[in-house]
Amino acid sequence: MKRASRCSQSLAELKLYLASTSTPIFSRYHKRKMAIKLRNEYGPVLHMPTSKENLKEKGPQNATDSYVHKQYPANQGQEVEYFVAGTHPYPPGPGVALTADTKIQRMPSESAAQSLAVALPSQTKADVNRTAPSGSEYRHPGASDRPQPPAMNSIVMETGNTKNSALMAKKAPTMPKPQWHPPWKLYRVISGHLGWVRCIAVEPGNQWFVTGSADRTIKIWDLASGKLKLSLTGHISTVRGVIVSTRSPYLFSCGEDKQVKCWDLEYNKVIRHYHGHLSAVYGLDLHPTIDVLVTCSRDSTARIWDVRTKASVHTLSGHTNAVATVRCQAAEPQIITGSHDTTIRLWDLVAGKTRVTLTNHKKSVRAVVLHPRHYTFASGSPDNIKQWKFPDGSFIQNLSGHNAIINTLTVNSDGVLVSGADNGTMHLWDWRTGYNFQRVHAAVQPGSLDSESGIFACAFDQSESRLLTAEADKTIKVYREDDTATEETHPVSWKPEIIKRKRF
């Protein structure tokens, strides 16, 4: 009984004490616990002075705001008011030392910004040396730059011993100004064939040229007068390719009858046949330094022939569709082919194997031309004309704008590239810049249909002063440069447009 009375008395005294106390015990305990937690977790920033303006604006918005004015006896009896503004001192940039100007959150003056440059690393000093604008335009030293437009860039200019940095417009890559070329004009139309004129070649002496046609004949014309000199018969189908040898008095021809013929021009007779292709032969070319003939065919192969023995040295297999064009050169790679399978292949002549396959074109490659001076070449396709660099076929640039089936390409030493298309249009380009300086669409021969407007082949003569085209209206058209044209009468309508070079 005595123990029970004591317990009841103690409980009554505890209740009386709790009732008489103005602050609950739990509340004081909770505050003491929070004070210890704040001192432990926010000790590194307790030295920062209080920003009373921010306190007035913010007010107690969360649980920690109620302890902003709490006094802590941790600083040896000194009563200091603290404002917790975060765990990262100002400024936020890496390697920026805190000074008297950077402790307080305020917009530094111009002199303060210059003093900060001393403490910055050498990499960021160029950014701080900019004149600090007033107000909100100032960017904190060391802070990451805002994303700028692609045409803007910071350029540092050195003047004497000082460096001045300015925000200047960085020029976008533009097409360089193209070389001026005089325009070409039509001055002669030669008729005589009874079918499409499919191929053309000029002999090395520049006295005559030869054409092959769908009328199954090969005709030789005088270059100066345009008169017919000779007709050769022997093919039983369309003649698709002709070329005159520079090493011997021989003319080579090929056609859709699968035949490849060697003509002796002293006797005007066929002296050799090269048998092996299984389908129509679309093109041929002669090696410039050795007695080797290369032909390409619809049977998806190209064949290398020994001119004298008529032996097939190699059969170049790899294309998956008809091979439309072939070119030879003395340097490696010595053979280049373009195919309807949209690829271009560079071949190793000795091994008879592919060195490089170029797959950038999206449509059939019907024409390939080698530059006579530069170690480059171009290929033509309905998607666009592409320029490449030897020996590995590195892509250079696109020549876009001739939106047609391009059947033929030719280029001269002055850098005039000519592309002839199936719709009868002919575009002339500046090789270096890819600028299209002239477009020609000659009228068809009287009596022909407009649908017979088409260019199958073109070639410069040996002096490069005349351009010959073989066309679907059964004619050969001859162009020459306009002697009266000047840069004033025919200015280059060129603007520094941004280059849009596509990889594919």
Side-chain angles (χ1 to χ4, degrees):
M1 292 296 292
K2 290 182 180 180
R3 184 178 297 175
S5 62
R6 278 199 220 95
C7 289
S8 59
Q9 184 179 0
S10 299
L11 184 59
E13 291 177 354
L14 180 61
K15 288 181 178 180
L16 181 61
Y17 175 76
L18 291 175
S20 61
T21 304
S22 59
T23 304
I25 296 177
F26 177 78
S27 177
R28 286 185 294 173
Y29 169 76
H30 179 67
K31 287 186 176 183
R32 187 178 301 109
K33 184 177 179 181
M34 292 300 297
I36 296 172
K37 183 177 180 181
L38 285 174
R39 185 170 61 252
N40 293 337
E41 294 187 2
Y42 297 98
V45 296
L46 290 181
H47 65 281
M48 297 180 65
T50 305
S51 177
K52 296 184 179 180
E53 295 180 359
N54 292 340
L55 278 176
K56 291 179 181 179
E57 292 177 0
K58 289 181 64 176
Q61 294 180 356
N62 47 43
T64 59
D65 287 341
S66 60
Y67 304 102
V68 171
H69 295 286
K70 179 66 181 177
Q71 299 179 3
Y72 299 98
N75 294 332
Q76 299 177 357
Q78 297 180 359
E79 296 182 1
V80 182
E81 293 181 348
Y82 296 102
F83 170 56
V84 179
T87 59
H88 298 282
Y90 174 86
V96 180
L98 291 176
T99 65
D101 293 314
T102 59
K103 284 182 179 180
I104 304 175
Q105 290 190 351
R106 68 184 183 186
M107 294 303 173
S109 62
E110 182 175 352
S111 60
Q114 294 295 335
S115 65
L116 285 177
V118 180
L120 288 176
S122 59
Q123 182 179 358
T124 59
K125 282 186 178 181
D127 293 333
V128 180
N129 282 336
R130 297 172 183 156
T131 302
S134 58
S136 60
E137 295 181 2
Y138 178 76
R139 292 187 296 121
H140 295 169
S144 60
D145 292 340
R146 296 176 183 175
Q148 299 292 338
M152 304 296 291
N153 190 20
S154 178
I155 302 174
V156 178
M157 299 176 295
E158 296 188 11
T159 305
N161 296 327
T162 61
K163 292 184 179 181
N164 296 324
S165 178
L167 196 63
M168 299 178 64
K170 180 181 178 181
K171 293 183 179 179
T174 58
M175 178 192 294
K177 187 174 181 179
Q179 177 186 349
W180 182 82
H181 300 284
W184 292 70
K185 62 180 183 180
L186 176 68
Y187 83 100
R188 179 174 291 158
V189 177
I190 302 172
S191 59
H193 276 294
L194 302 179
W196 290 353
V197 187
R198 298 303 303 255
C199 51
I200 192 166
V202 182
E203 64 97 11
N206 211 37
Q207 299 296 316
W208 48 269
F209 66 95
V210 57
T211 56
S213 170
D215 63 8
R216 301 172 293 177
T217 65
I218 299 169
K219 291 184 182 293
I220 297 176
W221 312 81
D222 184 74
L223 185 60
S225 63
K227 293 181 180 180
L228 179 64
K229 298 181 68 172
L230 181 67
S231 292
L232 301 175
T233 57
H235 282 282
I236 59 175
S237 187
T238 302
V239 181
R240 295 294 296 266
V242 289
I243 189 169
V244 184
S245 174
T246 59
R247 299 167 56 86
S248 57
Y250 294 157
L251 166 68
F252 295 86
S253 64
C254 64
E256 294 181 1
D257 53 8
K258 311 177 193 177
Q259 295 182 7
V260 181
K261 298 177 182 289
C262 175
W263 304 78
D264 188 331
L265 296 177
E266 292 182 354
Y267 299 96
N268 299 329
K269 292 182 179 180
V270 177
I271 58 172
R272 296 187 185 100
H273 285 90
Y274 301 89
H275 298 285
H277 279 296
L278 306 178
S279 189
V281 185
Y282 283 166
L284 76 172
D285 199 12
L286 284 168
H287 196 283
T289 57
I290 57 177
D291 290 328
V292 164
L293 173 69
V294 185
T295 57
C296 60
S297 169
R298 194 169 61 188
D299 61 11
S300 305
T301 66
R303 286 180 179 264
I304 302 173
W305 310 89
D306 187 313
V307 171
R308 289 171 291 185
T309 64
K310 301 180 291 185
S312 178
V313 179
H314 287 302
T315 299
L316 307 179
S317 302
H319 285 292
T320 58
N321 207 330
V323 185
T325 181
V326 63
R327 288 291 177 267
C328 293
Q329 65 175 358
E332 293 291 344
Q334 299 183 55
I335 300 175
I336 303 96
T337 57
S339 170
H340 287 288
D341 64 6
T342 75
T343 66
I344 303 165
R345 286 179 180 257
L346 313 182
W347 300 87
D348 186 336
L349 176 61
V350 177
K353 295 182 180 179
T354 304
R355 286 170 52 111
V356 180
T357 303
L358 307 176
T359 61
N360 299 40
H361 280 292
K362 300 298 185 291
K363 295 185 179 180
S364 301
V365 181
R366 298 169 183 256
V368 170
V369 65
L370 313 182
H371 195 282
R373 293 181 178 175
H374 302 161
Y375 198 39
T376 57
F377 71 102
S379 57
S381 176
D383 51 10
N384 50 39
I385 301 169
K386 295 180 184 293
Q387 287 181 344
W388 315 86
K389 178 185 275 188
F390 287 123
D392 299 322
S394 304
F395 176 79
I396 300 176
Q397 65 179 346
N398 281 326
L399 281 66
S400 302
H402 203 169
N403 302 317
I405 298 175
I406 297 175
N407 290 321
T408 178
L409 293 172
T410 188
V411 63
N412 65 10
S413 300
D414 292 334
V416 176
L417 173 67
V418 181
S419 58
D422 220 36
N423 59 0
T425 60
M426 183 172 66
H427 287 200
L428 288 86
W429 314 77
D430 179 60
W431 178 276
R432 183 177 63 89
T433 61
Y435 171 71
N436 182 203
F437 68 90
Q438 188 181 3
R439 299 183 180 186
V440 179
H441 192 175
V444 297
Q445 180 181 219
S448 301
L449 301 175
D450 290 338
S451 59
E452 289 185 310
S453 177
I455 300 175
F456 292 116
C458 63
F460 287 101
D461 70 344
Q462 302 299 331
S463 66
E464 298 182 342
S465 62
R466 283 168 287 198
L467 173 64
L468 300 92
T469 61
E471 309 210 1
D473 63 355
K474 308 168 190 170
T475 66
I476 302 107
K477 293 184 172 64
V478 185
Y479 296 82
R480 64 182 175 189
E481 292 181 343
D482 188 353
D483 297 334
T484 62
T486 63
E487 293 191 45
E488 288 73 23
T489 59
H490 294 78
V492 176
S493 58
W494 164 83
K495 294 180 181 179
E497 298 176 352
I498 297 176
I499 295 177
K500 296 179 181 179
R501 295 190 177 182
K502 299 179 181 178
R503 289 293 302 174
F504 301 101

